[in-house]
Amino acid sequence: MGVEKTMAQSDLKEATTAPGTGANAVAAAAEGSSPSALFPSYARYPIHLVKGKGSWLWDDKGNRYLDFMSGLAVANLGHAPEKVAAKVKAQLDELWHVSNLFHIPQQEAAARKLTEISCADVVFFCNSGAEANEAAIKLARRYHQKVKGTNRFEIITFNQSFHGRTLATLTATGQQKVKDGFLPLPEGFKSVPLHDLPALKAAIGPQTAAVMLEMVQAEGGVHPVDPAFVRELSELCKEEGLLLIIDEVQTGMGRTGKWFAHQHYGIEPDIFTSAKGIASGLPAGAMLAKAYLREAFPPGSHASTFGGNPIVTTAIIATLETMQEERIPEHVAEMGEYLTGLLKETFKDEPFVQEVRGKGLLIGIQCAGPVGDIVLLGQQHGLLFVTAGPEVIRLLPNLKVSKEEIDQAVAILADVIAAYTSKEGN
């Protein structure tokens, strides 16, 4: 199946002919008349996407793509979800931004909804997952130092984890590649092997404040955490007086078939974070915590200029309302089981595919070799997906994906892998 030209010409014209904007501006920069005005910090694919609806994206040439990336788990309700768009458009006519020095009703309503679907009692809004994790680290330190009166500040994380790109969160990340060139790194972080309880216990000292964990190491290869280890970790934190922080930036908001991935494990973290799909593509993040941590963040202790403004919190409310009305987590659980089963059946006799793993609609396909070229072949055949390390294909369809779209995606992926492995040397 090749890339389809299905976008209406009127849609293409509207999306691509605005002067100095959209794909035309990107293309002009790419064509080399002058160097791009952007830092080259992204290795970009040679595709200029201009329109999206549901599970589909179109480029400036009219090619249609089945999107199994969802903007890296951001477009959870599909592209341009109508209910969210309608409420955001209405808010645009009322008020865009107001300082957090004033009460923001939409922010209070969004926080209330988040606490209703989780074990959290209080919420802090920011702009991204890295900022949410940064806030969690700061809250853990400040709680121990200002509320408990101790000198605890160290955060223990796990090898192959990923927690963000700020100086603190990249230091917390258990992957050396993200730290290259950013020395000196801030002190107060240790990383130990995942599932190694003795190593974890050995790392705990008098200055340890918290342990930070992803329930699925998404960027690190899509590795779900073992339930027995999670229970042992939770009990260990209680015994040692440590805060348990769960990074739900990618796994939260229904991605794994529950509102938050830790809900699969029967634990209640002290702090957890969310971003990506929380506002259906608008830049938003949230740190959620238990009530007793409220006093650690009094006025003036932490802030975010744009965090929780009326526009993004309206999007959060509309996203949550849509997910509740349409029972999205339940749909994810069903579709995740279907997708995993179909992948395992499709590739059971394919030696290049070694394992299919994940939770809900966060799926990793462990392969016997590098998969970068397979990603490019997928694009040529009209399917977008991403990697999770050099040898892992990561699938992140939107949470409303249908069985028909899953069937289509797996069929394309099977053709692509077959074409790749049939080449000499693969």
Side-chain angles (χ1 to χ4, degrees), residues 56-76:
W56 298 90
L57 286 164
W58 289 262
D59 68 16
D60 58 339
K61 297 179 177 62
N63 299 316
R64 187 174 76 148
Y65 303 87
L66 181 54
D67 183 13
F68 267 53
M69 290 174 62
S70 301
L72 292 179
V74 169
N76 273 5

Side-chain angles (χ1 to χ4, degrees), residues 221-263:
V222 191
H223 294 282
V225 181
D226 178 69
F229 178 77
V230 174
R231 290 191 293 270
E232 291 172 332
L233 170 59
S234 180
E235 289 303 313
L236 180 62
C237 286
K238 292 174 184 175
E239 292 169 6
E240 297 288 343
L242 310 179
L243 298 180
L244 176 58
I245 304 170
I246 302 297
D247 178 345
E248 295 264 14
V249 169
Q250 188 159 157
T251 57
M253 296 304 295
R255 172 60 56 182
T256 67
K258 298 278 189 183
W259 285 104
F260 297 98
H262 67 261
Q263 293 170 337

Side-chain angles (χ1 to χ4, degrees), residues 114-115 117-122 133 136 139-140 209-215 230-231 233-235 237-238 242-249 251-252 259-274 286-293:
L114 286 167
T115 60
I117 61 170
S118 72
C119 65
D121 303 298
V122 286
N133 285 338
L139 180 64
V211 178
M212 192 173 191
L213 174 72
E214 298 167 286
M215 307 312 296
V230 174
R231 290 191 293 270
L233 170 59
S234 180
E235 289 303 313
C237 286
K238 292 174 184 175
L242 310 179
L243 298 180
L244 176 58
I245 304 170
I246 302 297
D247 178 345
E248 295 264 14
V249 169
T251 57
W259 285 104
F260 297 98
H262 67 261
Q263 293 170 337
H264 290 283
Y265 293 81
I267 62 163
E268 292 192 359
D270 301 284
I271 305 168
F272 59 101
T273 57
S274 182
M287 179 196 65
L288 303 93
K290 291 289 195 176
Y292 70 86
L293 292 163

Side-chain angles (χ1 to χ4, degrees), residues 111-143:
R112 187 68 57 192
K113 279 193 162 294
L114 286 167
T115 60
E116 287 171 356
I117 61 170
S118 72
C119 65
D121 303 298
V122 286
V123 181
F124 177 86
F125 288 110
C126 51
N127 308 292
S128 67
E131 289 175 76
N133 285 338
E134 184 97 9
I137 291 166
K138 289 180 67 175
L139 180 64
R141 287 185 171 188
R142 206 170 195 283
Y143 170 73

Side-chain angles (χ1 to χ4, degrees), residues 381-402:
H381 286 74
L383 178 67
L384 304 181
F385 52 93
V386 70
T387 65
E391 298 179 348
V392 179
I393 292 168
R394 183 171 23 154
L395 301 181
L396 295 162
N398 76 80
L399 306 190
K400 297 178 68 174
V401 69
S402 68

